[in-house]
Amino acid sequence: ESLLAANNTELAKSLRVASTKLLAAGHKDAAISGLTTAFALLRRAGRVNAVATIRAADGGVADVLPNSATRGDILELSAELVAAATAMRDAGLASRAVEAAREGLTSIPNTNHLAPDARATATMLRVHALQLLGAASADQHDVEAARAYLDRANALLPQAKAELDPKDYVRLQSQSVELGTTLLELL
């Protein structure tokens, strides 16, 4: 299952990169088709990884954990879902971006069970996914949802500051400020 999930994730990544280039070249319909296919592959990879996670579990039902290799696969999947959501938003697909970002957010492994470098990556992904959800909600003029996502992202910034390189933290902080400004303009 893990190998199948990894193959789907790699294929989705290639499709996402190609679709982003198509979008930049003005081929929006082809880009949207590629992104939609990439998202479907990532969804399938997520379902496969969920099966692998349960099968690899060595604890009780309350603490079902994948082995370390599967955790790495899931973190990569989360990163691709968030990247796909970003590309979907750039393509003008705000509702699909919300969907992809939500899946990315819920797929991020519990940071308590990750090595320090992976924990930092997971925290950065979690903040970025919440900011992206806020921005995509703002695109749809859902200010209340956007504000809730921004508040959740901002609540994680102290943890991000402790775990991330300063430049990565500053980028996340700037994104929160930019989203906050956008929301003020929508009020």
Side-chain angles (χ1 to χ4, degrees):
E1 286 93 352
S2 288
L3 182 59
L4 179 58
N7 287 342
N8 281 340
T9 304
E10 279 303 310
L11 182 55
K13 182 190 288 187
S14 298
L15 262 174
R16 178 183 59 78
V17 171
S19 298
T20 302
K21 288 177 181 175
L22 282 168
L23 185 63
H27 303 295
K28 188 171 181 180
D29 289 344
I32 287 171
S33 178
L35 288 169
T36 301
T37 304
F39 184 41
L41 283 167
L42 287 168
R43 271 194 155 157
R44 183 171 180 183
R47 284 196 296 272
V48 171
N49 256 332
V51 173
T53 298
I54 293 166
R55 289 190 180 174
D58 56 3
V61 175
D63 192 23
V64 177
L65 292 174
N67 58 32
S68 58
T70 307
R71 275 201 294 270
D73 291 343
I74 293 172
L75 197 54
E76 185 179 349
L77 171 70
S78 305
E80 272 310 306
L81 280 163
V82 173
T86 302
M88 284 175 170
R89 182 176 176 241
D90 291 343
L93 302 172
S95 62
R96 297 304 301 279
V98 166
E99 203 177 343
R102 272 191 193 133
E103 294 214 18
L105 183 63
T106 57
S107 71
I108 298 169
N110 187 326
T111 54
N112 295 336
H113 306 293
L114 297 173
D117 57 338
R119 188 180 305 135
T121 300
T123 298
M124 182 163 63
L125 275 174
R126 192 168 275 116
V127 174
H128 183 49
L130 286 164
Q131 290 171 333
L132 185 55
L133 279 163
S137 297
D139 291 343
Q140 299 177 91
H141 301 284
D142 189 346
V143 177
E144 189 176 330
R147 169 55 63 188
Y149 286 126
L150 177 59
D151 288 345
R152 286 174 64 190
N154 288 343
L156 288 172
L157 284 178
Q159 181 182 343
K161 187 175 184 179
E163 293 176 356
L164 301 179
D165 287 337
K167 67 178 188 307
D168 291 327
Y169 167 72
V170 167
R171 189 173 72 249
L172 289 177
Q173 189 181 43
S174 297
Q175 287 169 187
S176 274
V177 170
E178 184 180 336
L179 178 54
T181 302
T182 299
L183 292 181
L184 284 173
E185 290 170 355
L186 288 174
L187 291 174

